[in-house]
């Protein structure tokens, strides 16, 4: 942290701030809280799981539809910060509201969760795009990696605090119900997210931009059209996005399927939470290491190293048959998970035209979100056909191999492309 400028540090701290939302609201505590709320209302387990899936899909769809146009508008002077503040505030406020909604109001909880997810994901589009504003290309790998590393560390603190309150209430050590303890966890998440967003709001400003025009919305649609019309001018960028679509699908699938996979091995819920925590701790230093090595050997090579590690993980998973093997697998994931995500962000940041970073990070978000479809489907179909979860995880090798092959086709020493003349003319 000491080797970063105040602006870089303020930007990276937002990863520290919002990662609590990912682990507490998306992954660990709120899903169980919602399931319990739905069950008390007479909703069956299968139905509540379906509703949870629908909620995640709705949030993804809304952000995916909004991302390109909002990103393009945000490229105009002064809009990027406004959009970031709006979406971050939306996520923080409605996360706090989750703490005050009565536990038996499962439908309201679900609606509020959708809004928090839209806020979280929407803010991340503009946060990622700010990477080009806070540092230079020579430091981009390290700063992006430091952000992810801080996120892994920062998420564990409110997570441990929340889990501790819930466990103490379960054991009747403190006079709170589990429901109230969970609501306290949601409040902690919102406060943590809001507090550590303040440095970003104070010090980070939009440096690269397109000058404002009388009708920014109409012009933004024209710019999007021009981008697709001149897609050949952005060949390295879109080739990278295609590669990213495949390999990040494999990464996200392993993250999302990990608890189900561990359950199939007979690993208890409390142990799974411990494994999740240890993986976060291991991921932090390895993410920073990837950032340093990315500067020395190029981010493209280190992304390929991360892909190779994941290929080994998938192969190892095929032979996995004990809790010890699962622990080893989780530790291997921790060595590559943050690094491949951080360097993908910085590599993309180097490829995009800086004055149009929001527009292209909108596409980056879409490719990342829709990449969550093929992997789980591939695992599910393979596991069902073979009767083996191990085979399902092994099938993800396909995604990593295809992603790696496409990444190799991205031209060597690719640099940020400038806006084609036809796009520039729209802004005159």
């Amino acid at each position: 942290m000491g080797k970063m400028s105040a602006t870089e540090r303020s930007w990276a701290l937002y990863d520290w701030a919002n990662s609590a939302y990912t682990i507490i609201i998306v992954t660990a505590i709120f899903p169980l809280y919602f399931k319990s709320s739905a069950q008390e209302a007479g909703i069956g387990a299968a139905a509540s799981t379906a509703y949870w899936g629908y909620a995640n899909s709705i949030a993804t769809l809304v952000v995916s539809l909004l991302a390109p146009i909002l990103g393009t508008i945000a490229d105009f002077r002064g809009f990027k910060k406004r959009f970031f503040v709006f979406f971050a505030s939306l996520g923080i406020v409605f996360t706090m509201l989750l703490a005050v909604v009565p536990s038996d109001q499962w439908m309201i909880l679900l609606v509020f969760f959708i809004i928090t997810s839209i806020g979280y994901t929407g803010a991340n589009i503009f946060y990622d795009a700010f990477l080009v504003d806070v540092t230079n290309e020579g430091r981009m790998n390290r700063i992006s990696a430091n952000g992810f590393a801080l996120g892994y560390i920062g998420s564990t603190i409110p997570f441990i605090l929340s889990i501790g309150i819930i466990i103490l209430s379960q054991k009747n050590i403190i006079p709170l119900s589990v429901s109230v303890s969970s609501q306290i966890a949601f409040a902690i998440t919102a406060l943590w997210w809001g507090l550590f967003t303040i440095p970003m709001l104070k010090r980070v400003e939009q440096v690269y931009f397109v000058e404002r025009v009388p009708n920014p919305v109409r012009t933004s649609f024209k710019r999007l059209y021009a981008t697709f019309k001149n897609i050949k001018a952005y060949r390295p960028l879109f080739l990278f996005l295609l590669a990213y679509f495949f390999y990040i699908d494999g990464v996200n699938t392993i993250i999302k399927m990990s608890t189900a996979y561990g359950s199939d091995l007979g690993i208890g819920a409390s142990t799974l939470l411990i494994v999740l925590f240890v993986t976060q701790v291991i991921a932090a230093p390895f993410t920073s290491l990837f950032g340093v090595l990315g500067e020395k050997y190029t981010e493209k090579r280190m992304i390929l190293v991360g892909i190779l590690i994941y290929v080994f993980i998938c192969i190892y998973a095929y032979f996995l048959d004990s809790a010890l093997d699962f622990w080893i697998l989780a530790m291997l994931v921790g060595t590559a998970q943050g690094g491949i995500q951080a360097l993908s962000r910085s590599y993309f940041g180097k490829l995009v035209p800086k004055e149009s970073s929001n527009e292209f990070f909108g596409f980056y978000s879409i490719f990342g979100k829709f990449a969550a479809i093929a992997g789980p489907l591939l695992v599910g179909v393979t596991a069902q056909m073979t009767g083996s979860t191990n085979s399902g995880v092994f099938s993800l090798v396909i995604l990593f191999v295809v992603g790696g092959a496409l990444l190799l086709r991205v031209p060597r020493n690719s640099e940020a492309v400038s806006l084609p003349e036809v796009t520039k003319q729209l802004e005159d």
Side-chain angles (χ1 to χ4, degrees):
M1 290 286 287
K3 295 181 180 180
M4 291 192 285
S5 69
T7 303
E8 291 170 340
R9 190 161 50 246
S10 299
W11 178 85
L13 273 173
Y14 185 70
D15 256 315
W16 170 284
N18 73 356
S19 293
Y21 172 86
T22 305
I23 193 168
I24 292 174
I25 305 299
V26 178
T27 306
I29 297 176
F30 183 75
L32 298 176
Y33 181 78
F34 165 73
K35 292 278 287 182
S36 175
S37 175
Q39 185 178 1
E40 289 179 5
I43 308 297
S48 63
T49 298
Y51 287 133
W52 180 250
Y54 298 151
N56 280 278
S57 297
I58 291 170
T60 298
L61 180 62
V62 169
V63 174
S64 297
L65 292 174
L66 292 176
I69 185 61
L70 288 182
T72 309
I73 296 172
D75 284 323
F76 291 110
R77 182 199 288 264
F79 280 98
K80 184 189 288 192
K81 186 76 166 283
R82 292 180 186 179
F83 282 155
F84 170 79
V85 171
F86 172 77
F87 281 99
S89 299
L90 190 70
I92 293 166
V93 169
F94 276 85
T95 298
M96 179 62 76
L97 289 177
L98 290 176
V100 298
V101 174
S103 60
D104 59 347
Q105 298 296 318
W106 67 273
M107 182 60 75
I108 297 177
L109 287 170
L110 201 61
V111 171
F112 280 15
F113 166 74
I114 292 172
I115 298 173
T116 66
S117 183
I118 292 171
Y120 168 83
T121 308
N124 267 0
I125 295 171
F126 307 106
Y127 167 65
D128 288 342
F130 265 118
L131 179 60
V132 305
D133 298 294
V134 300
T135 192
N136 58 51
E137 290 193 1
R139 292 175 56 80
M140 208 172 279
N141 291 335
R142 183 172 298 195
I143 301 306
S144 179
N146 284 352
F148 268 98
L150 282 171
Y152 285 119
I153 298 170
S155 65
T156 61
I157 298 171
F159 180 57
I160 292 172
L161 181 59
S162 299
I163 290 296
I165 294 172
I166 292 172
I167 291 175
L168 290 175
S169 66
Q170 286 177 330
K171 295 182 178 297
N172 296 318
I173 297 175
I174 56 177
L176 296 173
S177 67
V178 174
S179 177
V180 171
S181 298
S182 298
Q183 291 174 327
I184 291 174
F186 307 151
I188 290 171
T189 303
L191 291 171
W192 184 273
W193 187 357
L195 177 64
F196 291 104
T197 300
I198 293 174
M200 174 91 176
L201 300 179
K202 291 178 63 176
R203 294 193 177 93
V204 176
E205 299 294 340
Q206 184 176 3
V207 175
Y208 298 98
F209 49 79
V210 175
E211 289 295 344
R212 293 190 188 184
V213 293
N215 194 333
V217 176
R218 182 180 178 185
T219 303
S220 294
F221 277 105
K222 288 182 177 180
R223 287 180 59 207
L224 278 174
Y225 172 74
T227 297
F228 284 108
K229 187 177 179 180
N230 293 273
I231 199 167
K232 288 184 179 179
Y234 305 107
R235 183 177 178 274
L237 194 151
F238 278 100
L239 191 56
F240 169 77
L241 278 179
L242 191 58
Y244 176 74
F245 176 86
F246 283 97
Y247 71 72
I248 208 65
D249 191 2
V251 172
N252 291 336
T253 301
I254 287 176
I255 294 171
K256 290 181 178 180
M257 302 295 289
S258 60
T259 52
Y261 191 32
S263 296
D264 288 348
L265 291 169
I267 299 173
S270 58
T271 302
L272 286 173
L273 288 175
I274 294 172
V275 173
L276 178 63
F277 167 73
V278 175
T279 303
Q280 298 280 104
V281 173
I282 288 178
F286 274 95
T287 300
S288 294
L289 178 62
F290 262 75
V292 173
L293 295 177
E295 290 182 356
K296 185 175 183 179
Y297 298 108
T298 77
E299 59 282 327
K300 181 178 175 180
R301 289 182 181 176
M302 291 309 300
I303 292 172
L304 288 169
V305 169
I307 290 173
L308 287 174
I309 293 173
Y310 269 103
V311 168
F312 178 78
I313 287 169
C314 294
I315 295 172
Y316 186 84
Y318 182 75
F319 300 99
L320 187 147
D321 64 356
S322 69
L324 176 60
D325 286 334
F326 185 79
W327 272 96
I328 294 172
L329 195 72
M331 300 308 101
L332 287 172
V333 169
T335 64
Q337 177 178 297
I340 200 170
Q341 291 175 314
L343 292 184
S344 294
R345 179 169 66 183
S346 59
Y347 190 29
F348 189 70
K350 291 181 179 181
L351 292 175
V352 301
K354 289 183 173 57
E355 64 272 31
S356 295
S357 60
N358 291 285
E359 175 186 352
F360 286 97
F361 269 102
F363 290 119
Y364 183 80
S365 176
I366 290 176
F367 274 74
K369 291 300 176 186
F370 278 100
I373 299 173
L377 181 63
L378 183 62
V379 171
V381 170
T382 305
Q384 194 168 28
M385 289 177 61
T386 62
S388 168
T389 307
N390 294 36
S391 298
V393 178
F394 176 73
S395 68
L396 293 175
V397 166
I398 298 171
L399 298 178
F400 290 112
V401 170
V402 172
L406 288 170
L407 185 61
L408 286 171
R409 293 180 61 84
V410 177
R412 185 176 298 178
N413 299 324
S414 296
E415 297 179 353
V417 293
S418 59
L419 292 174
E421 286 302 316
V422 65
T423 307
K424 290 179 179 179
Q425 291 171 8
L426 292 173
E427 295 147 12
D428 295 336

